Amino acid sequence: MSGGKIRVGIGGWTYEPWRGTFYPQGLAQARELEYAAARLGAIEINGTFYSSFKPASFAKWAEAAPEGFVFTVKASRFTTVRKKLADGAESIAKFLGQGLEALEDKLGPILWQFPHTKAFDAEDFAGFLKLLPSKIGSRPLRHALEVRHATFEDAAFVKLTKDAGAAIVYADKPGYPTIDEATADFAYARLQRAEEDVPTGYTPAALDDWAAKAHDWAKGGRDTFVFMINGAKVRAPAAAQALMEKL
């Protein structure tokens, strides 16, 4: 079987230090998404973690991006930053009901990001996974889970996630567990070690390694999403473009 589609992108598109480094001087802020989407394969919408939006916003973002582009959407913090995850049905419904389907074919996976203080509780996590719908309207949904507590390095967590068909995010950041398990029909990575004194965020050798890893994730037809997130955020667009060239 051939490899899946590999998309490389960044988190968000509004960041002042990108003006003049990634975005040309004088580019209207209203056109920044259009500019970024034309040069990358995906963008992780981060604003949805902090607040809700109207369907018109999602439709406008979709219109600014070219065909084949994909947005992933970070779930509201009210769905994941809570004592008992399995009690979050109302928050999950509110988040998913704000108009994500207006992204249409450009709607990619939903990112559920858990705080570093959240330890693995098998019963509670199983209850949470049962709350995640497989569709929004008529559109299939894919779910990616970013966990940040060492207790998730547990075969029971991997099995729960695989049974649910959700992806475990490969989070490359010091202090976070790095779980590299194929639990879904897609892969999702968040790379967070960019260095500001390296123009492309990562050295050529490091980018070669990430390109090889992305190809491994994509084997068997798995769509693969690789995002350059934190570390030296100013380098994220350059890092994403450099990795795209390697691929």
Side-chain angles (χ1 to χ4, degrees), residues 93-181:
K94 183 177 179 180
F95 162 70
L96 293 174
Q98 65 185 298
L100 276 64
E101 62 269 32
L103 290 172
E104 298 187 344
D105 292 343
K106 292 165 187 166
L107 173 61
I110 308 299
L111 171 66
W112 306 88
Q113 184 185 82
F114 301 90
H116 71 279
T117 53
K118 189 67 177 176
F120 177 50
D121 177 323
E123 182 179 354
D124 187 37
F125 216 83
F128 171 80
L129 289 171
K130 288 177 182 176
L131 298 177
L132 303 185
S134 60
K135 291 183 178 181
I136 182 169
S138 62
R139 295 196 174 278
L141 278 184
R142 292 185 286 183
H143 303 285
L145 315 171
E146 185 182 38
V147 295
R148 297 179 165 189
H149 196 280
T151 53
F152 283 91
E153 293 182 297
D154 187 318
F157 169 61
V158 175
K159 184 179 186 307
L160 278 174
T161 309
K162 189 170 186 176
D163 289 346
I168 300 174
V169 172
Y170 184 100
D172 183 53
K173 182 170 181 176
Y176 289 0
T178 301
I179 304 171
D180 192 3
E181 295 281 354

Side-chain angles (χ1 to χ4, degrees), residues 37-109:
R39 289 157 178 80
L40 302 167
I43 285 178
E44 188 180 272
I45 300 175
N46 300 137
T48 45
F49 181 75
Y50 302 101
S51 59
S52 59
F53 294 84
K54 296 185 181 300
S57 294
F58 293 98
K60 181 181 177 182
W61 299 336
E63 187 178 353
E67 287 300 315
F69 188 86
V70 172
F71 290 97
T72 66
V73 186
K74 186 185 286 189
S76 165
R77 66 189 188 278
F78 296 112
T79 64
T80 55
V81 183
R82 57 191 308 126
K83 185 174 182 180
K84 191 168 176 58
L85 296 171
D87 287 344
E90 185 176 342
S91 294
I92 290 172
K94 183 177 179 180
F95 162 70
L96 293 174
Q98 65 185 298
L100 276 64
E101 62 269 32
L103 290 172
E104 298 187 344
D105 292 343
K106 292 165 187 166
L107 173 61

